[in-house]
């Protein structure tokens, strides 16, 4: 499904750093996972306003089509285009099929934004038997990036953007129970998957040296999205929670600013292996940049997603 769009010819402001992104992404192809809602949808809108060509990688076709109608309304309609393609990160087969189609149909990828995620869901497993949060947030994107890496290298200079979370601070990589079969705490499992995102970024940055492909991560902060749909809030407390969220949480557009910044800003051209928040580099806890853990996690992840080298 392809729909034409137009740039709105306006500058975008990144937390005090105003740069003109007008037509900056013209002629470039951007893949955004989870692009039908929340930060991913807002990121898609901004990429389209810059006349980028966005491939929305979404699990639910119906919801994606509904989102495109809203995106068109917000971004205007004329020159650019958006393409919906099915991707279920909870299925290795779906990831492989998606990548096979992209490699066959697309001459280049300029930016890959690993945005999709699941948050604090009850204990469930992916199609391949992985704990859902670790499987979707880390392993699905790990395989996706691996399979698209050659095309990204051929398209260099190109960028990979990984959406993590400050909740990585509460996660630990337990190599004896990555699948949470011995014990499961949904909050800790989410933190672990986001820590895995940062360790993946750290190790991938080393492997991408001198390739022309950069990878950086970000933590968007607390954003008003449907990511928290699995969190149970007492009925009587919902009005107060909704009021508080509007007062203190970022909007999806605000939450997407760092994703957009890392995707297009010349300020981060050549920057490798960093983590950003509010468009500024952040200092991570040592466990998020541990060389040994990052390499071990990489090696185990390859085995889990059945990568043979």
């Amino acid at each position: 499904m392809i729909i034409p769009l137009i740039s709105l010819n306006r500058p975008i402001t990144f937390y005090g750093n105003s740069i003109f992104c007008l037509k900056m992404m013209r002629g470039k192809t951007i893949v955004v996972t989870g692009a039908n809602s929340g930060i991913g949808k807002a990121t898609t809108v901004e990429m389209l306003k810059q006349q980028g060509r966005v491939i929305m990688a979404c699990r639910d076709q119906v919801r994606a089509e509904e989102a495109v109608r809203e995106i068109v309304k917000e971004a205007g309609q004329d020159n650019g285009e958006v393409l919906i393609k099915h991707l279920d990160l909870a299925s290795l087969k779906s990831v492989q099929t998606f990548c096979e189609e992209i490699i066959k149909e697309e001459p280049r990828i300029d930016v890959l934004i690993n945005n999709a995620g699941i948050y604090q869901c009850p204990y469930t497993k992916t199609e391949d038997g992985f704990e859902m949060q670790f499987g979707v947030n880390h392993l699905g994107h790990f395989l996706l990036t691996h399979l698209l890496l050659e095309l990204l290298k051929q398209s260099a200079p190109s960028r990979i953007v990984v959406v993590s979370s400050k909740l990585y601070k509460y996660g630990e990589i337990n190599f004896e129970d990555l699948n949470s079969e011995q014990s499961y705490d949904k909050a800790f499992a989410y933190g672990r998957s986001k820590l895995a995102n940062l360790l993946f970024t750290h190790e991938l940055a080393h492997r991408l040296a001198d390739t022309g492909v950069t990878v950086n991560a970000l933590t968007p902060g607390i954003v008003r999205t449907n990511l928290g749909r699995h969190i149970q809030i007492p009925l009587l407390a919902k009005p107060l929670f909704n009021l508080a969220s509007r007062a203190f949480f970022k909007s999806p557009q605000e939450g997407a600013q760092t994703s957009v910044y890392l995707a297009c800003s010349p300020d981060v051209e050549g920057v490798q292996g960093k983590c950003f928040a509010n468009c500024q580099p952040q200092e991570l806890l040592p466990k998020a940049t541990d060389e040994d853990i990052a390499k071990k996690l990489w090696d185990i992840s390859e085995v889990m997603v059945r990568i043979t080298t």
Side-chain angles (χ1 to χ4, degrees):
M1 179 180 180
I2 301 176
I3 296 179
L5 296 159
I6 188 172
S7 165
L8 290 191
N9 297 348
R10 65 169 179 79
I12 182 170
T13 301
F14 298 117
Y15 287 92
N17 298 321
S18 182
I19 66 170
F20 276 88
C21 284
L22 172 61
K23 301 180 181 178
M24 186 172 289
M25 302 305 285
R26 171 178 279 178
K28 296 187 177 182
T29 296
I30 308 103
V31 175
V32 183
T33 68
N36 61 282
S37 65
I39 295 173
K41 181 180 174 185
T43 300
T44 299
V45 169
E46 291 299 335
M47 291 292 96
L48 293 169
K49 287 176 180 178
Q50 299 170 38
Q51 296 193 349
R53 179 174 181 272
V54 179
I55 298 174
M56 296 174 59
C58 304
R59 180 177 58 85
D60 190 320
Q61 180 78 15
V62 173
R63 289 181 60 199
E65 291 176 359
E66 292 173 352
V68 165
R69 286 191 284 271
E70 295 171 358
I71 287 168
V72 169
K73 183 177 180 180
E74 183 171 353
Q77 187 171 11
D78 191 15
N79 292 327
E81 66 179 40
V82 56
L83 171 65
I84 297 172
K85 290 194 74 68
H86 179 262
L87 172 65
D88 183 356
L89 289 161
S91 165
L92 298 183
K93 182 179 179 181
S94 177
V95 175
Q96 290 163 350
T97 299
F98 173 87
C99 292
E100 287 170 1
E101 292 178 357
I102 291 293
I103 292 168
K104 180 180 178 180
E105 299 168 3
E106 300 296 330
R108 62 182 299 112
I109 296 177
D110 297 279
V111 184
L112 169 62
I113 303 179
N114 291 336
N115 165 83
I118 190 167
Y119 176 73
Q120 294 198 22
C121 61
Y123 186 77
T124 50
K125 290 185 176 181
T126 68
E127 177 180 291
D128 303 280
F130 306 128
E131 186 273 311
M132 186 62 71
Q133 295 188 82
F134 191 73
V136 169
N137 298 353
H138 170 60
L139 291 175
H141 283 118
F142 180 88
L143 179 60
L144 176 74
T145 305
H146 170 80
L147 294 176
L148 294 180
L149 204 51
E150 283 306 311
L151 185 54
L152 282 157
K153 289 178 180 178
Q154 294 168 22
S155 308
S158 55
R159 303 182 183 188
I160 301 169
V161 178
V162 179
V163 179
S164 183
S165 167
K166 287 185 178 180
L167 294 178
Y168 84 88
K169 297 175 181 180
Y170 303 101
E172 299 292 339
I173 303 297
N174 178 4
F175 289 109
E176 303 303 317
D177 191 25
L178 285 178
N179 221 29
S180 297
E181 293 178 337
Q182 297 175 19
S183 63
Y184 180 70
D185 180 291
K186 60 185 181 181
F188 290 148
Y190 179 76
R192 179 185 60 193
S193 73
K194 295 289 105 179
L195 175 59
N197 289 158
L198 295 173
L199 290 164
F200 165 66
T201 301
H202 186 75
E203 177 64 18
L204 181 58
H206 290 307
R207 295 172 182 249
L208 290 177
D210 302 320
T211 65
V213 184
T214 61
V215 59
N216 291 287
L218 68 107
T219 60
I222 304 176
V223 185
R224 296 192 304 273
T225 71
N226 65 353
L227 189 65
R229 60 189 178 276
H230 295 293
I231 303 299
Q232 299 298 319
I233 300 173
L235 185 62
L236 294 177
K238 280 188 177 181
L240 182 60
F241 175 81
N242 291 336
L243 183 64
S245 69
R246 291 193 173 278
F248 299 108
F249 294 4
K250 292 180 180 178
S251 69
Q253 291 73 25
E254 292 168 332
Q257 283 198 347
T258 307
S259 294
V260 175
Y261 177 75
L262 292 177
C264 74
S265 175
D267 293 346
V268 289
E269 184 175 350
V271 175
Q272 187 74 281
K274 303 298 183 181
C275 183
F276 289 73
N278 296 336
C279 304
Q280 298 294 325
Q282 302 295 299
E283 184 173 347
L284 296 171
L285 295 178
K287 65 180 178 180
T289 57
D290 187 293
E291 302 279 351
D292 294 334
I293 293 177
K295 187 174 188 313
K296 184 175 181 179
L297 178 62
W298 183 285
D299 292 341
I300 290 176
S301 298
E302 284 190 336
V303 173
M304 294 178 80
V305 300
R306 301 190 288 275
I307 292 174
T308 57
T309 55

